[in-house]
Amino acid sequence: MTNQVMPAGLLPLEGAFNFRDMGGYRTTDGRTVKQGLLFRAAELIGLTPEDHRVLEGLNLKHVFDYRNRGEAEQKPDPRIGQAVNIRIPANTAAEDAPSLDLEHVFASGLHKQFSKSMLGDLYAALPIRNASYKKLMELLKQPEANLPLVQHCAGGRDRTGVGSMLILLTLGVPYETVLEDYLLSNVTLEKFHRQMFEMAAKYVSTEELKEIEEAMKLQEIYLGAAMDSIIAEYGTFDRYLLEEFGIDEVARQQIQDYCLE
């Protein structure tokens, strides 16, 4: 991110990528999401003492981790102040999969399974009957008791991107704005992605590298697959909130009244 203006909401942490305040977005009724309540991030294991000082000032009540067991054991979440750490895997199919570092993934050829279609299928599956998001939204239903909260995965982009979509849409932020927030991770993770691609270049052909770069770039079609899945299953986002999470109009209004200004 050298020579770039820091995106709004991005916390200037030394040891964590993509730690962002989700506040500041305008809702359809003209209100604004409060700052200091809802955060999204990548993995947190690299937090420095100064980072901890900054984050302890947020008075976080929960650190919500979407990663699978192997990821969390390899890079465990630190304790941040008095926050309660919760881990419920968003991708349950990978819960018992071994955690492999990226260099091993590229060196062994495992990267070949990653494609646009694979990621599209993952996004389509994530928001439907998912225990991880059910717990997230359960916390959101009692904001005065459970916020501030940070939700995160490995890069803070895919699993966290869907969680952020659910939160922001519940608050009444238009989908177009939610999509902008999602795609912002292409900017905030630019250094992370560049390092990954430089590593991959040691093991894959130039053509393969281009395909990897294209598939890994966050795109409208990925988040759109999650939203399309919700509409295909429930017809409307309102019905989805009610049937998946028990959030009716009264509960949604209470959440909004607490989280908006």
Side-chain angles (χ1 to χ4, degrees):
M1 302 219 13
T2 306
N3 299 325
Q4 292 183 351
V5 175
M6 185 178 294
L10 184 67
L11 275 65
L13 303 177
E14 297 177 22
F17 290 108
N18 206 14
F19 200 117
R20 296 192 259 140
D21 190 330
M22 294 164 61
Y25 290 121
R26 185 66 64 90
T27 64
T28 54
D29 67 3
R31 290 185 287 179
T32 302
V33 180
K34 292 177 183 175
Q35 294 183 319
L37 287 182
L38 297 158
F39 298 88
R40 55 179 298 173
E43 61 191 29
L44 304 173
I45 192 172
L47 293 174
T48 66
E50 175 60 19
D51 292 340
H52 274 278
R53 188 191 68 77
V54 172
L55 295 181
E56 285 170 10
L58 301 179
N59 296 314
L60 294 171
K61 292 182 180 177
H62 290 93
V63 174
F64 194 93
D65 183 1
Y66 295 114
R67 298 175 301 164
N68 63 40
R69 182 183 295 110
E71 291 175 293
E73 288 178 350
Q74 186 179 56
K75 297 181 177 181
D77 277 347
R79 295 300 301 270
I80 301 175
Q82 300 300 309
V84 175
N85 290 2
I86 299 174
R87 186 191 69 83
I88 303 177
N91 182 9
T92 54
E95 171 66 355
D96 296 318
S99 182
L100 303 173
D101 63 72
L102 282 174
E103 185 142 15
H104 180 81
V105 168
F106 292 118
S108 64
L110 289 172
H111 65 278
K112 296 181 187 295
Q113 66 184 289
F114 294 103
S115 65
K116 278 189 174 182
S117 61
M118 183 278 288
L119 282 170
D121 290 344
L122 173 64
Y123 273 84
L126 281 173
I128 306 301
R129 291 177 285 279
N130 190 318
S132 188
Y133 299 120
K134 285 181 184 294
K135 180 61 176 179
L136 176 75
M137 300 301 277
E138 180 183 311
L139 294 173
L140 187 66
K141 278 197 286 187
Q142 294 186 295
E144 65 288 339
N146 297 316
L147 304 184
L149 169 151
V150 59
Q151 37 152 356
H152 82 93
C153 51
R157 35 164 283 164
D158 300 303
R159 293 164 287 188
T160 302
V162 172
S164 298
M165 178 185 79
L166 300 185
I167 290 172
L168 291 175
L169 289 178
T170 299
L171 295 180
V173 176
Y175 180 76
E176 293 75 15
T177 304
V178 174
L179 181 61
E180 290 175 10
D181 176 73
Y182 168 73
L183 294 175
L184 184 58
S185 286
N186 282 328
V187 177
T188 56
L189 290 171
E190 188 272 335
K191 180 180 177 182
F192 173 82
H193 286 156
R194 186 173 68 249
Q195 291 173 344
M196 179 173 62
F197 298 147
E198 288 173 353
M199 180 193 302
K202 296 187 294 183
Y203 302 102
V204 305
S205 67
T206 301
E207 182 176 335
E208 277 185 300
L209 183 61
K210 287 181 65 177
E211 292 175 354
I212 292 169
E213 291 178 353
E214 178 61 23
M216 289 301 293
K217 179 182 178 182
L218 294 178
Q219 300 166 55
E220 182 175 345
I221 58 170
Y222 293 155
L223 196 67
M227 192 65 192
D228 288 347
S229 183
I230 289 170
I231 299 306
E233 185 79 16
Y234 291 104
T236 67
F237 187 75
D238 288 353
R239 185 177 167 209
Y240 168 74
L241 281 182
L242 179 61
E243 297 197 13
E244 282 274 350
F245 311 118
I247 296 177
D248 60 16
E249 191 54 43
V250 172
R252 190 177 187 184
Q253 192 63 56
Q254 290 173 341
I255 294 168
Q256 291 180 354
D257 287 346
Y258 187 87
C259 296
L260 304 179
E261 58 187 7

